[in-house]
Amino acid sequence: MSTADGSPDDGATKSQPLTIAQLAELARVSTATVSKVVNGRAEVGPETRALIERLIREHGYRPQRRRATSASLVELVFHALEGEYPTEIAKGVEQVTREHRLAVVLSQLQHRDTPGKGWIEGVLSRRPIGVISVFSSLTEAQREQLATRGIPLVLLDPRGDPAPAVPSVGASNWNGGLMATRHLLGLGHRRIAAIAGPDYALASRARLDGFRTALDMAGVRVDPELIGRGDFLVEGGLAEAERLLRLPCPPTAIFTCNDGQASGVYRAAYRLGLRVPDDVSVVGFDDLPAVRWMNPPLTTVRQPLTEMASAATEMLLKLARGEFPTRHRVELGTELIIRESTAPTQG
């Protein structure tokens, strides 16, 4: 099964996935070594591991028995475990897993874009029925490793444009930005600022595009000076709001691309002796539970996080059963929730 120079003979083996024994023969290692790599165990050298993973990518892997040994759990991966956002997501996942008597394993990436070294080995050793990655992404190699072991992956609230083969669940972010800005325009505001999220976040870009579209359709020029660059954190919203509100001609309203940044706007207004909504109207995005207790309660765009998480979990379970989802890209609707942080302009 190899050529004269010792390299694998691809033509002889690409027709169907290989068993552990066949992979071991190609790699010239023991079946135990291949089994350790397949199951995510750590005691294999990096060069040997890379060789075996390459062979699995090239030829495929065929389990010698059905995956009856898969653990009754779902792997839930967060970009970060901070604030109410992950709590709302976990609620939606748990609603579905409880019905199916499945456990949930939580992990976080400490604000990294992708899981670090060692994460994939842990997942392979746990053998969950599937992985849900929240506002984060996996490397191509990590996705391939899951795929070759028959572990499905679903992206929830994806931070970037998902790979074509990876199913995802998100929200109608563009329409949410449009609704928020039209609400402020309807109150007579024309000097409206926006505090976006990080550039890498697809959701933030879509919300900002909806904001720009609403202004353009109303015949209001988009002033680049009124576009703030945030980070989805309270501190970023505070810094950008202070800059905006100190302008010679400050905005009368601010749309923020998440509720955390809206909280930062409140703090900036307080520091500067301004009142919400008398001096500046504020609209957020997410509708996390705490915003109804802000002073004043926050007008915001509701992103159905719990429903999104439930939909992603149902999709994952369908994939785990070998079924194809009816839709590869699911986008749930957003809704404007009007409270007391917006009012007609005083100008």
Side-chain angles (χ1 to χ4, degrees):
M1 300 179 68
S2 59
T3 63
D5 62 0
S7 61
D9 181 2
D10 291 348
T13 54
K14 278 190 175 179
S15 58
Q16 61 182 3
L18 304 183
T19 63
I20 283 179
Q22 291 170 319
L23 288 167
E25 185 176 349
L26 276 177
R28 296 184 175 178
V29 297
S30 68
T31 56
T33 298
V34 176
S35 178
K36 288 175 182 178
V37 174
V38 166
N39 292 295
R41 293 174 59 182
E43 57 270 30
V44 178
E47 292 184 3
T48 301
R49 181 181 298 277
L51 170 61
I52 295 169
E53 289 289 357
R54 179 175 65 79
L55 291 171
I56 291 173
R57 287 196 304 271
E58 291 176 354
H59 303 282
Y61 161 61
R62 184 177 77 248
Q64 293 175 288
R65 60 182 180 274
R66 296 181 62 86
R67 293 186 68 236
T69 56
S70 296
S72 298
L73 60 87
V74 169
E75 191 92 17
L76 183 57
V77 187
F78 285 100
H79 172 249
L81 285 172
E82 295 177 358
E84 295 180 291
Y85 173 93
T87 301
E88 296 303 300
I89 294 288
K91 283 181 185 177
V93 173
E94 197 273 337
Q95 285 175 4
V96 177
T97 56
R98 183 176 63 247
E99 291 179 15
H100 295 270
R101 297 184 178 181
L102 300 171
V104 180
V105 173
L106 297 182
S107 58
Q108 66 167 327
L109 307 185
Q110 303 290 346
H111 295 281
R112 292 192 302 269
D113 294 347
T114 57
K117 186 177 180 181
W119 175 83
I120 189 68
E121 285 79 10
V123 174
L124 297 182
S125 66
R126 286 187 289 274
R127 297 194 66 79
I129 66 167
V131 175
I132 299 175
S133 181
V134 185
F135 195 64
S136 57
S137 57
L138 274 60
T139 66
E140 183 177 355
Q142 289 167 341
R143 293 197 304 269
E144 288 178 345
Q145 284 174 286
L146 293 179
T148 55
R149 275 69 166 191
I151 301 174
L153 167 69
V154 174
L155 300 183
L156 176 55
D157 195 13
R159 59 189 283 134
D161 189 20
V166 182
S168 67
V169 177
S172 55
N173 292 294
W174 181 87
N175 193 55
L178 185 80
M179 286 190 296
T181 311
R182 282 181 169 173
H183 171 64
L184 294 171
L185 289 165
L187 293 173
H189 296 277
R190 291 299 179 268
R191 192 155 174 81
I192 305 172
I195 301 178
D199 286 340
Y200 60 74
L202 190 64
S204 172
R205 288 174 176 263
R207 294 167 194 176
L208 190 59
D209 284 345
F211 164 83
R212 288 190 171 112
T213 299
L215 292 182
D216 183 64
M217 293 179 69
V220 177
R221 185 180 74 88
V222 178
D223 186 348
E225 191 176 43
L226 296 183
I227 305 296
R229 296 296 174 184
D231 52 11
F232 281 158
L233 301 177
V234 173
E235 294 79 5
L238 171 61
E240 280 299 312
E242 285 195 336
R243 179 189 68 80
L244 291 165
L245 295 173
R246 291 181 188 276
L247 291 172
C249 185
T252 62
I254 300 177
F255 165 57
T256 68
C257 283
N258 80 332
D259 289 344
Q261 293 180 147
S263 179
V265 175
Y266 274 46
R267 294 190 189 184
Y270 176 78
R271 285 185 181 182
L272 297 174
L274 302 175
R275 294 173 298 172
V276 177
D278 297 349
D279 300 305
V280 59
S281 288
V282 183
V283 180
F285 203 112
D286 280 333
D287 193 32
L288 296 173
V291 303
R292 70 193 67 178
W293 305 112
M294 292 171 66
N295 189 21
L298 179 68
T299 295
T300 187
V301 177
R302 181 175 182 269
Q303 180 177 207
L305 295 173
T306 301
E307 294 90 337
M308 289 160 57
S310 294
T313 311
E314 293 283 7
M315 181 184 288
L316 188 77
L317 298 185
K318 184 173 289 189
L319 290 166
R321 293 192 297 266
E323 303 172 20
F324 290 100
T326 52
R327 288 187 295 165
H328 213 57
R329 297 279 180 266
V330 174
E331 187 175 276
L332 301 189
T334 50
E335 178 186 3
L336 180 66
I337 307 298
I338 300 175
R339 297 194 180 96
E340 299 167 34
S341 67
T342 52
T345 180
Q346 302 298 311

